[in-house]
Amino acid sequence: WMRRADLGTVAFNGWQVVDATPQEMSGRLFRTGPAPVVAVRHGQSVNYDCTFVIGEVNADYRIWTEQSDGTYSLSNVYTDYIGKSITTKQHFTNKPLDLTKFYKFQEGSVKEEAALGLSRRIGELEDGSKDIKLSLEVTHSTLGDSIEIDLHAQNRSDSSRSLSGKFIGIPVLYTGKRKQHFVRLHPAFEVPANGEIVKSFQVLPGQYLPSLPQDDQPWMEFMLVSLIKETGQRDIVTTSCLLRQPSLEVSIVGEATLGDNVSVTVTMKNPLSVALRNPILTCCGRGLARLVKISLSDVPGNDTLRSSFTITPTLRGKHLLICGLTCQKLSNIDGSIEINVV
């Protein structure tokens, strides 16, 4: 929070966006901000890096198709793909605090159109010749289970339509870089006149688990490239999901007393059918324990990891013990418990 006297108005005082480790350079340095949050919300490009931050929280996701002559045509635009939820941690609790409304107006509202000039680009998003409307929806995305995706196809014409296409799944790194696709299907079906149908796809664990990047988040993107036989309409629709991972269950035995040993137990069900190799458990917490690092035995597929150890609290009051697990197949696995030391 700071005053922005350099911008000549008190309107930009207050919370500023800063990032010392962004993925793009600003002024030949890796830095971002300070960018006034109020300017980001109203789509105003002022110093520093406001345009970049506006893109981070409210950009369109556009899909372009390369034609045989080397030119590109706009296939689809998602205006609500980026910036769905912006949160931080609430004071004195582990619950999230939703900040989305401070960074952007409600999607599709008049205020958002005024802020970002959406009315100037609506014409290029609408195409009356497209009588088939498609969308993808991930309905089940738990790590270790089959991933289930529904394709919704709505026919807005008075004649049936024949759809054929290519459905692919792609692992995505946290930087946004895409890897080699891990599944390829070729759906073909009829969409009745003025009707809507749903086609379901299932991606088995054996299809996607070998493609998951090591030491990265299990992020998947699914895409359908389609062709309507009767009209020649071509379309590309996409959706993505972060696979739901297990969390560590942390518990203590009895009451925590200052200066006395407390027994801590950490458990987790292995969601995979293969063993977790070389797992390492780390735990720490202010007033509870310095960094505890424990090398564990391999955890067989679908078995339960269990580890017990002791800590000695050094401060009275409520403190948070945070535990994390790393291994060759899973990353970003954590869990915590609030301990009241008497």
Side-chain angles (χ1 to χ4, degrees):
W1 196 100
M2 61 187 293
R3 294 175 58 192
R4 291 302 303 271
D6 59 305
L7 298 179
T9 172
V10 297
F12 297 128
N13 291 347
W15 290 110
Q16 312 289 313
V17 177
V18 294
D19 186 357
T21 58
Q23 296 176 17
E24 295 185 19
M25 299 183 77
S26 170
R28 294 182 294 180
L29 292 175
F30 283 104
R31 59 184 177 184
T32 297
V37 171
V38 66
V40 172
R41 188 179 191 224
H42 287 85
Q44 296 174 277
S45 182
V46 299
N47 288 339
Y48 297 89
D49 304 309
C50 261
T51 302
F52 176 76
V53 178
I54 291 169
E56 284 187 308
V57 301
N58 209 9
D60 288 347
Y61 179 41
R62 301 187 175 205
I63 300 176
W64 298 81
T65 303
E66 184 177 7
Q67 308 299 321
S68 57
D69 60 359
T71 61
Y72 289 84
S73 62
L74 185 62
S75 295
N76 216 329
V77 178
Y78 294 88
T79 60
D80 59 352
Y81 193 88
I82 294 171
K84 290 180 180 290
S85 178
I86 304 167
T87 61
T88 188
K89 179 182 177 296
Q90 288 189 23
H91 290 293
F92 311 116
T93 175
N94 290 324
K95 296 180 179 179
L97 177 64
D98 189 353
L99 302 178
T100 310
K101 66 181 181 181
F102 297 105
Y103 283 85
K104 55 194 294 187
F105 292 107
Q106 184 176 352
E107 192 70 45
S109 66
V110 174
K111 288 184 177 180
E112 189 200 30
E113 291 184 11
L116 300 183
L118 292 182
S119 57
R120 294 195 299 269
R121 66 189 186 194
I122 285 179
E124 75 180 52
L125 309 187
E126 296 180 340
D127 186 353
S129 65
K130 290 187 175 182
D131 49 27
I132 297 294
K133 182 180 180 181
L134 302 172
S135 64
L136 288 172
E137 177 188 12
V138 178
T139 58
H140 186 77
S141 57
T142 298
L143 183 67
D145 293 348
S146 295
I147 305 174
E148 298 174 4
I149 309 101
D150 284 348
L151 167 63
H152 298 262
Q154 180 186 10
N155 186 353
R156 296 178 287 189
S157 74
D158 295 328
S159 303
S160 64
R161 295 287 185 252
S162 303
L163 182 148
S164 61
K166 179 172 65 177
F167 175 84
I168 59 174
I170 311 167
V172 184
L173 302 179
Y174 85 98
T175 58
K177 183 177 180 180
R178 290 161 176 77
K179 300 185 67 180
Q180 181 68 26
H181 67 267
F182 56 83
V183 66
R184 183 192 295 261
L185 304 174
H186 297 274
F189 53 89
E190 297 285 327
V191 187
N194 298 306
E196 182 175 356
I197 66 172
V198 178
K199 292 291 183 180
S200 298
F201 302 101
Q202 188 178 69
V203 182
L204 301 177
Q207 293 176 295
Y208 71 83
L209 286 177
S211 299
L212 284 180
Q214 297 292 329
D215 301 322
D216 209 304
Q217 57 187 4
W219 183 12
M220 301 287 160
E221 183 176 50
F222 299 96
M223 182 178 297
L224 175 75
V225 182
S226 64
L227 171 66
I228 305 301
K229 178 181 177 181
E230 291 81 5
T231 63
Q233 173 188 332
R234 296 180 181 273
D235 221 338
I236 300 176
V237 290
T238 184
T239 188
S240 63
C241 69
L242 187 63
L243 298 183
R244 187 177 293 108
Q245 299 193 95
S247 58
L248 299 176
E249 298 293 332
V250 187
S251 61
I252 64 171
V253 177
E255 187 177 59
T257 305
L258 182 69
D260 293 340
N261 288 342
V262 179
S263 178
V264 179
T265 300
V266 179
T267 61
M268 185 201 74
K269 175 73 179 296
N270 179 3
L272 307 180
S273 59
V274 297
L276 302 180
R277 306 290 184 187
N278 305 316
I280 297 177
L281 178 68
T282 56
C283 296
C284 65
R286 176 181 178 273
L288 297 172
R290 294 180 179 272
L291 181 64
V292 177
K293 188 173 182 180
I294 305 172
S295 296
L296 305 175
S297 302
D298 293 350
V299 183
N302 302 123
D303 204 348
T304 299
L305 173 151
R306 182 179 298 274
S307 177
S308 296
F309 55 93
T310 59
I311 60 173
T312 307
T314 58
L315 290 175
R316 285 191 172 90
K318 294 181 179 180
H319 305 288
L320 196 65
L321 182 67
I322 301 174
C323 300
L325 180 75
T326 58
C327 60
Q328 291 182 354
K329 293 292 183 179
L330 300 177
S331 62
N332 300 317
I333 305 296
D334 54 34
S336 63
I337 184 175
E338 186 178 69
I339 299 176
N340 186 26
V341 180
V342 296

